[in-house]
Each structure stands twice: as C-alpha cells, then as structure tokens.
Amino acid sequence: MLLDALVARAGELTNVGVIHLHIEGPGPHLALEMAGHFRHRALFIGPNARAAVNEGRADYVPVFLSDVPRLFESRALPLDAVLVNATPPDRHGFCSLGTSVEAMHAAIRSARTVIVQFNRSMPRTLGDSFVHVSDIDLAVEVDIPPYEHAVGTIGAVERKIGEFVADLVPDGATLQLGIGAIPAATALALRDKRDLGIHTEMFTDAVVDLVEAGVVTGARKERNRGKIVTAFVMGSRRLYDFVNDNPMVEMRPVDFTNDTHVIRSFSRMVAINSAIEVDLTGQVVADSIGHRLYSGVGGQMDFVRGAALASDGRAIIALPSTAAGGTVSRITPSLKEGAGIVTTRAHVRTVVTEWGVAELFGKSTVERAEALISIAHPDFRDELAAAARRTTMV
C-alpha cells in the first residue's frame, strides 16, 4: 500500500532510492517505466527484482543477513524514511511488526521519518517484534492480508534429498530450515524425529506441520527453550494464523537469529541451505548463475559457520544434481564465469544431492572431487572425472 502510494506520485519524484531485502508482491517501483523516478538497491534479490537488477535499472548489495542492521545504524546506507507494515497499536501503544522483524528495528532507529501502515490483517507476532507509537511520525490505516507464498512442487528428486538430509538430523537437534521444495521435503522426512527445535532466519508452513505432528517441541534447545525463533515468516494463511499471538513463536532481529555466537550455542545445530552450483573443490555458488544475479548472500554463511562451530553441529548444502531438465550438472569441474562464491571451500562441510551425501570436512581437493563426483548425476560422472584428471584433482 505504501509503495503503491509512492509510485502513484512518481511524476513528482526523481531518483528516489529504495532499499529493501526480499519482498513479496509485484514491486511497482521496479517497473521499466519507473526508471529515473526510483533507484532500487536490493540487499537480497527476489523474483520481482531480478529483471531490474540484471538490466542495470537497480543495484545489488552483497551482504551477510546478520550485517544488515549495521548497514543502517552505521549509516553506510543512510535512511531518510522507513516504510513499516505493522499491526494497529494495542492498548499500551505497541504495534507488532508481524511477519517480518529482520532489520526493521535498526531501520526505525536510523531513519529520520518513520511511516507505518496500521494493517488490521497483519498477524500480531510476539518476541522482539514491537514498535511503540511514540517512535512513529506518520501512519495510515489499511486492511491488506500478507502476501501468501506457495511451496514449490515436491518431486521425487526433492523427496530423496529430503530423506538423505533427515537421516543426518539427530533427535533433539535445532534446525535452520528455510523455504522451497527441499526444506519442505526434508520436513516430511522428519516425522519420526523427537524434540526438534527451530532457530532460523525464516520458516514456512513446513514448520507448522512439524509442530502439529509433535516433532518440533524445542524441549532440548540450550537457549530459548520451547520457542521457535525466527526473523520472518513466509507462507500461507494457515502459517500467518499459526504465528498470530502464539507464545511459542519468538520473532527476533537478524543480528540475533543469524549471529554465529548464538547459532553455535545449540550443540546439535543443523543448518540446511541450498546452492545453484558446487564445483569439485566444494566452492558453493548461491546468489548468481554466472554473471546473472539471482538471489543474495542472505544468511547462508551465518548459519554454515555457526553450525560448523557447534559441538555436534552439521552444516548441509542440499541441491538437485542437475538443472535445465537434467541437461546441466550442478556439480561442476569449475564455476561459471562471473559466478559468485557464497560459501567458500574452507567453510563447506556436507553436500547432499538425490544421489547421496558427500562429507568434505578435512578432505583434500582430490578427495573432495571424488566425493562430489559420487553424488553427481550418473550421466555426468565420467565427464566430471575426466575434467578432474585434467586439472590433477584425481
């Protein structure tokens, strides 16, 4: 609503900077005809921003999700105004940030003007999720349900990956479980686990399923016991109803959820992240396809490192072995020109495809290549082995 109102005034505005993380919806300020009126700066590239970024009409800032609050508070990215979606104030004058806390507190503290839409359809989430009316300069009342996000199709490949990942999760583990078909398939395969906890940057309906099945209790978490801790949620109406006024769900900013010190404090922390491609030495590309920018750094490195430092933790990169209808291997001899490394080969620990599990920690480059070839699609293994021999990897 606030973005729509801003775009409606585009004729009066020139070169207005707009900064945000991933947002759902059409992104009207990103339309081709808005060039010159708005210049978008993406801290994470969602589907609505990809064309604008790759066509040079918008900019991408690579940044760890845990560092985003510092960008605002240090004024490395100065904010004149912040647009906030929140619940109407309660009887004490507090408005809940609802589905997304992320870096909003830092933005509100840093901005010169705080503009809030009091949204009657926003779920009232608990935790460190409140802003007081005394911190608000301007407000408007609306009644707009949060955008819903459907889970992608869970096919045979995703189910097999989910089964391999679930086998690596012990009872009592604390999970980072994000969005997409692989996390959803993993959740389906976790139904026989006990006392799992959730500490994550975001979660979807898959976590609701695990709570209702009695799998997620948080009973063995070393901190925030019994709580599902997250910075934002994205899913269906069912998910938004679940988090509404639910004391089990504790919303926290990303400089807490994604703090490696906090993450490593869970002894059995299991972080599950995805990738676009992985080369034979273990370098992980997650934000671009060659030169084409696709998503963002996000919280992958925060959780990969935090989970690896936990006493019995595990950092997992899970991906299908192929792309483009099976014509391209995601396990590659070398990375595409222009590809961005999000997780370095020194940080990567465990890689999973539908063909198995490759443990890379402590392995030489030769041993890594052998392990990764063994979980590549069979159609590409000979080609990968030949490429490895040419580069003296095996």
Side-chain angles (χ1 to χ4, degrees), residues 15 189 194 247 258 374:
N15 202 30
R194 296 291 178 267
N258 289 50
S374 75

Side-chain angles (χ1 to χ4, degrees), residues 3 20 22-30 46-49 146-149 234:
L3 270 177
H20 60 64
H22 173 91
I23 60 169
E24 289 292 293
H29 61 298
L30 293 160
N48 54 13
Y147 283 104
E148 296 188 37
H149 190 284
M234 195 160 65

Side-chain angles (χ1 to χ4, degrees), residues 86-111:
T87 64
D90 62 20
R91 63 192 181 89
H92 303 291
F94 287 96
C95 309
S96 171
L97 294 170
T99 59
S100 181
V101 171
E102 293 180 309
M104 289 307 300
H105 287 304
I108 289 167
R109 287 192 296 267
S110 304

Side-chain angles (χ1 to χ4, degrees), residues 227-245:
K227 303 289 187 180
I228 296 170
V229 176
T230 189
F232 68 105
V233 297
M234 195 160 65
S236 72
R237 183 74 249 174
R238 172 173 169 254
L239 171 66
Y240 302 143
D241 289 341
F242 172 79
V243 301
N244 184 52
D245 259 331

Side-chain angles (χ1 to χ4, degrees), residues 6-62:
L6 193 64
V7 169
R9 294 184 53 225
E12 309 167 38
L13 303 171
T14 304
N15 202 30
V16 173
V18 180
I19 301 169
H20 60 64
L21 285 154
H22 173 91
I23 60 169
E24 289 292 293
H29 61 298
L30 293 160
L32 180 61
E33 61 270 21
M34 290 296 109
H37 299 287
F38 302 104
R39 184 73 183 186
H40 175 59
R41 186 175 289 248
L43 306 182
F44 192 93
I45 305 168
N48 54 13
R50 282 181 195 134
V53 169
N54 286 291
E55 291 168 10
R57 296 182 284 110
D59 302 305
Y60 166 53
V61 178

Side-chain angles (χ1 to χ4, degrees), residues 34-355:
M34 290 296 109
H37 299 287
F38 302 104
R39 184 73 183 186
H40 175 59
R41 186 175 289 248
L43 306 182
F44 192 93
I45 305 168
N48 54 13
R50 282 181 195 134
V53 169
N54 286 291
E55 291 168 10
R57 296 182 284 110
D59 302 305
Y60 166 53
V61 178
V63 61
F64 295 140
L65 189 55
S66 58
D67 281 338
V68 173
R70 188 176 303 175
L71 285 180
F72 299 147
E73 293 180 323
S74 68
R75 298 196 67 76
L77 289 181
L79 303 176
D80 294 306
V82 59
L83 308 182
V84 183
N85 194 15
T87 64
D90 62 20
R91 63 192 181 89
H92 303 291
F94 287 96
C95 309
S96 171
L97 294 170
T99 59
S100 181
V101 171
E102 293 180 309
M104 289 307 300
H105 287 304
I108 289 167
R109 287 192 296 267
S110 304
R112 294 185 175 92
T113 304
V114 177
I115 304 168
V116 177
Q117 60 177 27
F118 294 149
N119 189 349
R120 289 188 293 277
S121 289
M122 175 64 75
R124 181 178 184 270
T125 57
L126 308 178
D128 190 4
S129 60
F130 292 96
V131 57
H132 195 264
V133 289
S134 60
D135 296 319
I136 297 170
D137 298 298
L138 300 165
V140 59
E141 292 182 298
V142 301
D143 190 354
I144 303 172
Y147 283 104
E148 296 188 37
H149 190 284
V151 176
T153 302
I154 301 175
V157 168
E158 290 79 15
R159 286 183 184 276
K160 193 62 182 176
I161 294 171
E163 290 168 5
F164 280 126
V165 172
D167 284 344
L168 302 174
V169 177
D171 288 344
T174 298
L175 302 181
Q176 175 223 3
L177 195 65
I179 194 167
I182 290 176
T186 300
L188 288 174
L190 290 170
R191 295 302 183 94
D192 62 345
K193 303 294 180 178
R194 296 291 178 267
D195 291 330
L196 298 184
I198 303 292
H199 181 96
T200 186
E201 66 195 36
M202 68 85 61
F203 72 85
T204 67
D205 292 67
V207 168
V208 182
D209 295 336
L210 293 175
V211 172
E212 293 181 349
V215 175
V216 166
T217 66
R220 300 195 212 174
K221 291 178 72 179
E222 285 82 356
R223 64 194 303 168
N224 310 112
R225 185 163 294 172
K227 303 289 187 180
I228 296 170
V229 176
T230 189
F232 68 105
V233 297
M234 195 160 65
S236 72
R237 183 74 249 174
R238 172 173 169 254
L239 171 66
Y240 302 143
D241 289 341
F242 172 79
V243 301
N244 184 52
D245 259 331
N246 187 346
M248 188 181 190
V249 179
E250 184 172 311
M251 305 292 290
R252 298 293 295 265
V254 291
D255 50 4
F256 177 82
T257 60
N258 289 50
D259 184 337
T260 53
H261 174 76
V262 173
I263 296 165
R264 71 182 295 185
S265 69
F266 301 102
S267 60
R268 296 171 296 277
M269 184 74 209
V270 178
I272 305 163
N273 286 276
S274 61
I276 291 171
E277 65 175 327
V278 179
D279 79 0
L280 290 180
T281 70
Q283 297 184 108
V284 176
V285 175
D287 70 345
S288 66
I289 302 171
H291 288 285
R292 182 172 172 255
L293 295 165
Y294 188 80
S295 56
V297 173
Q300 181 170 125
M301 268 298 299
D302 296 329
F303 276 93
V304 164
R305 191 57 181 155
L309 292 172
S311 58
D312 295 305
R314 185 181 285 275
I316 299 169
I317 300 294
L319 72 162
S321 64
T322 64
T327 62
V328 176
S329 177
R330 289 186 186 232
I331 307 293
T332 59
S334 57
L335 302 180
K336 292 182 180 64
E337 182 181 352
I341 298 167
V342 169
T343 297
T344 75
R345 53 191 168 204
H347 288 98
V348 71
R349 296 295 180 96
T350 302
V351 180
V352 177
T353 73
E354 72 274 23
W355 297 99

